[in-house]
Amino acid sequence: MTLRTARLLALPFALAAILLRIGVEFWLKPLTWRMGIDAVSLLVFLAGTAGSVLAPVAGYLLLTRAVRGRPATFRVDPAGRRFTAPAAPAWAGPWSIIVTWLAGGLLLTERVPGEYGVRFLESGDALVWNMVAVVAVLVVVVLVLLDDRPRLTLDETGITVRGLARGRTVRWDRLLPGGPPAPAGKAFATLDLSEQPRMPAGRPVPRSLAVGPAHVDAVFLAGSVRHYVAHPERRSAIGTAAELASLRAAVGGTPDA
């Protein structure tokens, strides 16, 4: 299974999440009304609501478990003379499912007067605008899952992390040697860096890059950054297969999972 396929597999689970949320609203909520207003009915409703998002996320993670492991390597982009890491299914999948599930909350409902039932809010064009908002969210989710642009790149200039809307670059020549520290676990959300002080006697400037969405091993990434900060003579070779092999030997990378 390719990373792109793994990301796209999130779509059916995302649709299942929004359908389950609608089911909770139209079926489970009236059922709890019939049970009465007490702790039991509240627990049933909360359990159903949580299950409507947790079940699709768990199903997706189970189906894509073979490709969720983050490799201790980069992709080589010789044309751009850079190393890259794509979006990680372990991030993109759950993110898309949860966002789509939250979009289900944009569909406003109301209780049917005098009945144990729920209907969409009947107030002017409210339903139309609710549907437009949900469709807009679904379009964004699909575009994010289809996006093959790298989430993280290393080139001769520095390290760049691209978010959903824009990218952020930290230059090698601005970073202080010795960092970032190796993460405690195999996955981490941010890369904590220290830039040179703005004034000669000033304190180092902390910088934080959100690298959780990138499909690369956390320990290997931190070690790669330390390597290129400490060895500026190696930066010009970034983007070649030979340099990637050299980097992995220096940092202690392991073969792809």
Side-chain angles (χ1 to χ4, degrees), residues 118-171:
V118 173
R119 67 187 182 190
F120 288 114
L121 182 64
E122 296 182 356
S123 176
D125 296 329
L127 179 58
V128 174
W129 287 110
N130 291 165
M131 293 297 295
V132 169
V134 171
V135 170
V137 172
L138 291 176
V139 169
V140 171
V141 167
V142 170
L143 292 177
V144 169
L145 293 177
L146 287 172
D147 187 6
D148 276 336
R149 291 179 298 170
R151 285 286 173 181
L152 181 145
T153 62
L154 272 64
D155 58 23
E156 187 176 4
T157 301
I159 176 173
T160 299
V161 174
R162 184 177 60 83
L164 294 178
R166 60 180 182 176
R168 184 181 178 190
T169 300
V170 176
R171 296 177 57 90

Side-chain angles (χ1 to χ4, degrees), residues 162-227:
R162 184 177 60 83
L164 294 178
R166 60 180 182 176
R168 184 181 178 190
T169 300
V170 176
R171 296 177 57 90
W172 299 124
D173 56 14
R174 291 293 305 161
L175 293 175
L176 294 174
K186 294 294 289 182
F188 64 152
T190 60
L191 194 65
D192 296 320
L193 306 168
S194 294
E195 288 189 350
Q196 298 175 13
R198 294 188 177 92
M199 303 296 292
R203 294 182 177 180
V205 179
R207 286 287 181 263
S208 181
L209 289 177
V211 296
H215 191 64
V216 61
D217 179 77
V219 175
F220 177 74
L221 174 59
S224 299
V225 173
R226 290 196 302 271
H227 178 76

Side-chain angles (χ1 to χ4, degrees), residues 33-99:
W33 289 340
R34 293 186 179 92
M35 294 171 61
I37 303 177
D38 53 24
V40 174
S41 61
L42 177 61
L43 288 176
V44 169
F45 179 74
L46 292 178
T49 301
S52 65
V53 63
L54 293 179
V57 170
Y60 172 80
L61 292 177
L62 180 64
L63 188 62
T64 59
R65 63 187 183 278
V67 296
R68 286 207 318 274
R70 304 193 185 214
T73 189
F74 297 111
R75 291 180 175 180
V76 177
D77 179 6
R81 297 196 60 82
R82 60 183 185 172
F83 297 144
T84 69
W91 168 83
W95 176 88
S96 62
I97 293 169
I98 293 171
V99 169

